[in-house]
Amino acid sequence: MKKIFWGTILIIALVLTGCVGTPTEEKTLIIAEQYGLAYAPLQVMQAKNFVGEIDPDLKLEWAKAGNTTAIREMMLAGKVDIGFMGIPPFLIARDKGMDWDIFMGLSQAPVGLVSSNSEIQGLADIEGSDRIALPQPGSIQHILLAIAAEREFDDAARFDQQLVTMKHPDGMSAMLAGQELQLHFTSPPFIFMELDEPNTHLVLGGTEAMGGPFTFIIGAAPKRVQREKADSLAVLKQALQKAMVFMREEPEETIEILAQSYQLEPEVLKGYLENPELNYTDEIEGLETFIDFMGRNGYLENEIAADEVVWN
Amino acid sequence: MKQLRIKAILILACCLIWQGVYWTGMYSPLIFPSLGTIVHALGRDFVEGALIEQFIYSMRLVIEGLLLSIVLGLGIALIARSSSVFRSGIDLLISLAHPLPGVALLPLVILWAGIGEGAVLFIIVHSVLWPFLVSLFGALDRLPQTQQEVADNYEIFGWRRLIWVDLPGSFPGFLSGVKIGWSRAWRALISAEMIFGATSGSGGIGWYLFQKRVFMDTAGLFAGLVVIMVIGILIEGIFFRWIEKRTVIRWGMER
Amino acid sequence: MSGFRFESVTKTFGNEEIFRELSLQGAPASFLCVVGKSGVGKSTFLRLLGGFDQAEKGTITIGGEQVTRPQKKCPMVFQSYEQLFPWLPVWENIAFPLRVIGVDKSERRNRAMEALQAVGLEQDAKKYPHQLSGGMKQRVALARAWIAEPQLLLMDEPFGGLDMMTREVLQDLLISLWREKQWTVVFITHDLREAARLSTDLLILRENGSWEMKKNELSQPRDPYSAELNRWIREIEL
């Protein structure tokens, strides 16, 4: 009897320690990232160990997430310190009371709405029965589409019931299958791969939708991390900035590193990276436009001031 | 009646525990909203939103998918009884297809069924048909020998055998297959709607839940879950119970 | 009512021969009881006759036609209560053979009620099998078996699981019905007293695959406890 009793206590204790999700004593940063060329500086930084160069004690742990919602939930639960995502998903979280700030931009990228239907040349050609694939409602892709819809039809929610939620690879294979799905709002490298196909064309570009340049992916961190791990955060930012410089100055080696992790041919990758709209910079552009649009159309409920959400 | 009272007390207890946890503030209100905000979200979405429409739409799809699976299942059972080759083939198909979640077959689904209602129905049928067949075959395989010999004695075969003797005889298994199918259908519908979105009008409950999640309206999300739970309790407690009273209970065939 | 005939029938079970060259005849309207020790093959005999099983050698005919599979004109009353369909009320169970041959509902209902009266169950027409006692269930099975004017009635220890009193009542019922309807009956029992009461002919199956046919010439009415009957029983070697 006694053995069973203590055995049970031991098991419960072990299980409970597993439930505790707070970061460990040593210096670590747990980072959530997603798949795509827009996250390239993260790969380069890791490969060249820029973090180690600046601060050998800082350990990085990585969590790959399927989508932005998953990243947000991981951050909410405290399982992850840093998340990289688009500005609209960040704003939605912020609007709902999450005390997160943007600590840097990561990339600007050519995103856009691709179609395999030659009869769809502009948004006006899209009928109510056409479905549009994109990563999820509330994503930057959705918001860009909505901004363009507001500008052209004065109806931001025009396409909201026509969305099909698909990860970029799934959306691409559905498009290329040539069946029901003929519209896909996507980002690099998928947008490049889709446009390489013979019967596809760009219906709406990201910059065109936005009315100007904008940051595609930003890095966000909760106030907790800003307080407790301020120096680590600064180190991360520095290391990423180094990676961006490296990518500009050493294109050959960059291609080598990235070709491996993205499983793309170096020649093909070179072509993608040379696209003028693909920029890796820590600047944050377009924040006010997003806040303004989303507030106006009910995607955000509260007022947010642009400078309040940026960390320095 | 006593059963009902116990269940009501349990539900009340859960609500109290929930609200208690909320008050401790252990978790962010975005993960663990208060009962008040959940109820408020529920009311708001019923009145202002399209929740009723969405619920009816989802219900319709679930019923369609379930009926389709039952008809297919019965047809397959009929053929399988006359042909052992067919039966082996189906058994193989079941063991291959059953463990696969419909959503994992996404590229195939899109290829065969498109991206609209058809795809959602496809995923529902895929999630219901295999466990339903397992239940049905299980029951048909275990029919009492004497009963079968009586049917042989009166020279009843084929279609008549299935409808007059085998199906009524295996009704308990058939019914539990349908009950399982019902809950599988709901799960499949919700995950399918999360992908395929509003396949008609403002979509269904799965789409509602998904939108709540991506726009971080956690209270609304839980409100949607409450709706689904209530539906589940009502259907099982009332509808299926009603059927059972008129069939397996009346016939003394409860297992 | 048909007669039946076994011609040189041999049936083996694994290595054992249950019957060897069994040849016998059953006259129309006769009541044959099959007796023997447990496991000797009584049920097998009945199943062969009913077409539920096949013999290795020999032929079995009913009314001149060879038996290859179960037939609706030779209904069997089984010992197991599972022979009734639990989802049908009593009268529908009884009327089932009529439904199979396409008789319409109201005529089925009438004939079922007649049959119910004959077996003393008019009150229970709408009940379901699970609500009946063992004896009642067997009465229902009996009624079902003769409702469609069978050529041959096969009964596999139908009263086996019942208490003595119920058995005697059912035996009386069976005798009176048989006298009226003049069926050919083959009835298996392990109870010699029952065989003495019911049979016109007796088939004794023995362990070595041998068998013996006897006529039952006891005078009517057959009191189950009379000295004459007891003597008759004692003379039987199983």
Side-chain angles (χ1 to χ4, degrees), chain C residues 9 27 95 155 179 206:
Chain C
V9 172
M155 304 181 80
R179 285 227 193 93
R206 300 205 171 91

Side-chain angles (χ1 to χ4, degrees), chain C residues 212-231:
Chain C
E212 182 191 339
M213 273 285 263
K214 258 175 96 141
K215 278 227 153 296
N216 180 350
E217 260 133 25
L218 286 172
S219 52
Q220 298 286 355
R222 295 175 184 171
D223 177 340
Y225 302 105
S226 70
E228 192 194 354
L229 198 123
N230 285 333
R231 220 181 5 246

Side-chain angles (χ1 to χ4, degrees), chain C:
Chain C
M1 323 317 153
S2 300
F4 61 89
R5 172 185 283 227
F6 275 61
E7 271 171 62
S8 299
V9 172
T10 303
K11 175 74 180 165
T12 354
F13 219 61
N15 294 325
E16 257 188 78
E17 251 180 359
I18 302 192
F19 329 114
R20 204 188 326 126
E21 304 281 320
L22 176 62
S23 295
L24 55 84
Q25 247 179 292
S30 65
F31 198 120
L32 175 69
C33 277
V34 183
V35 299
K37 294 200 182 136
S38 278
V40 78
K42 310 191 286 291
S43 277
T44 315
F45 175 83
L46 203 64
R47 291 173 66 85
L48 286 173
L49 186 51
F52 294 96
D53 211 342
Q54 267 69 50
E56 276 83 28
K57 281 197 241 155
T59 36
I60 302 171
T61 53
I62 296 179
E65 279 171 39
Q66 194 171 11
V67 173
T68 44
R69 45 184 162 84
Q71 304 168 75
K72 47 185 185 274
K73 52 189 185 174
C74 304
M76 174 116 104
V77 176
F78 298 84
Q79 190 178 16
S80 158
Y81 297 145
E82 285 174 344
Q83 68 189 319
L84 298 181
F85 298 136
W87 60 90
L88 293 177
V90 162
W91 78 265
E92 287 221 50
N93 260 291
I94 292 178
F96 192 76
L98 300 178
R99 187 173 162 206
V100 169
I101 56 179
V103 174
D104 71 76
K105 190 160 186 191
S106 53
E107 196 189 326
R108 286 208 310 265
R109 182 93 210 225
N110 292 335
R111 286 170 67 173
M113 290 313 291
E114 270 176 49
L116 276 164
Q117 270 184 354
V119 297
L121 291 176
E122 322 86 67
Q123 305 292 340
D124 307 302
K126 293 211 173 125
K127 290 209 181 122
Y128 285 89
H130 76 99
Q131 296 171 291
L132 305 177
S133 69
M136 290 159 87
K137 285 185 193 148
Q138 295 306 78
R139 286 190 224 204
V140 173
L142 181 56
R144 178 175 74 184
W146 57 255
I147 197 171
E149 267 133 60
Q151 277 187 18
L152 182 61
L153 201 52
L154 305 169
M155 304 181 80
D156 190 348
E157 293 199 61
F159 309 145
L162 305 171
D163 64 274
M164 277 281 277
M165 279 189 58
T166 315
R167 277 227 297 278
E168 279 176 29
V169 169
L170 291 178
Q171 285 160 17
D172 290 336
L173 177 61
L174 186 55
I175 294 173
S176 74
L177 284 171
W178 169 73
R179 285 227 193 93
E180 188 196 327
K181 312 274 183 179
Q182 295 279 288
W183 308 309
T184 316
V185 182
V186 180
F187 186 107
I188 293 184
T189 178
H190 62 265
D191 179 357
L192 289 176
R193 201 170 301 276
E194 191 164 69
R197 288 198 78 205
L198 299 174
S199 62
T200 57
D201 300 88
L202 188 72
L203 173 64
I204 306 167
L205 294 177
R206 300 205 171 91
E207 274 161 334
N208 51 8
S210 69
W211 46 272
E212 182 191 339
M213 273 285 263
K214 258 175 96 141
K215 278 227 153 296
N216 180 350
E217 260 133 25
L218 286 172
S219 52
Q220 298 286 355
R222 295 175 184 171
D223 177 340
Y225 302 105
S226 70
E228 192 194 354
L229 198 123
N230 285 333
R231 220 181 5 246
W232 187 90
I233 291 177
R234 259 177 279 138
E235 280 164 23
I236 298 183
E237 282 173 49
L238 291 181

Side-chain angles (χ1 to χ4, degrees), chain A residues 245-302:
Chain A
V245 168
F246 181 88
M247 288 174 77
R248 265 195 300 273
E249 294 178 358
E250 306 285 342
E252 300 288 317
E253 208 183 327
T254 305
I255 291 177
E256 256 181 67
I257 298 172
L258 295 178
Q260 263 275 320
S261 39
Y262 290 118
Q263 306 238 318
L264 293 170
E265 294 289 323
E267 278 310 303
V268 174
L269 185 56
K270 185 164 194 265
Y272 293 167
L273 288 175
E274 283 173 358
N275 187 308
E277 288 188 65
L278 184 59
N279 289 316
Y280 299 102
T281 159
D282 65 333
E283 304 247 328
I284 305 168
E285 285 202 60
L287 182 57
E288 277 115 353
T289 316
F290 279 125
I291 294 178
D292 184 51
F293 170 80
M294 289 172 76
R296 202 169 53 239
N297 286 290
Y299 294 105
L300 296 175
E301 282 171 11
N302 305 306

Side-chain angles (χ1 to χ4, degrees), chain A residues 301, chain B residues 39-50 208 212 217 219-220:
Chain A
E301 282 171 11
Chain B
V39 172
H40 176 254
L42 191 56
R44 174 198 68 203
D45 287 326
F46 257 111
V47 174
E48 294 172 34
Y208 169 89
K212 294 295 144 190
D217 182 357

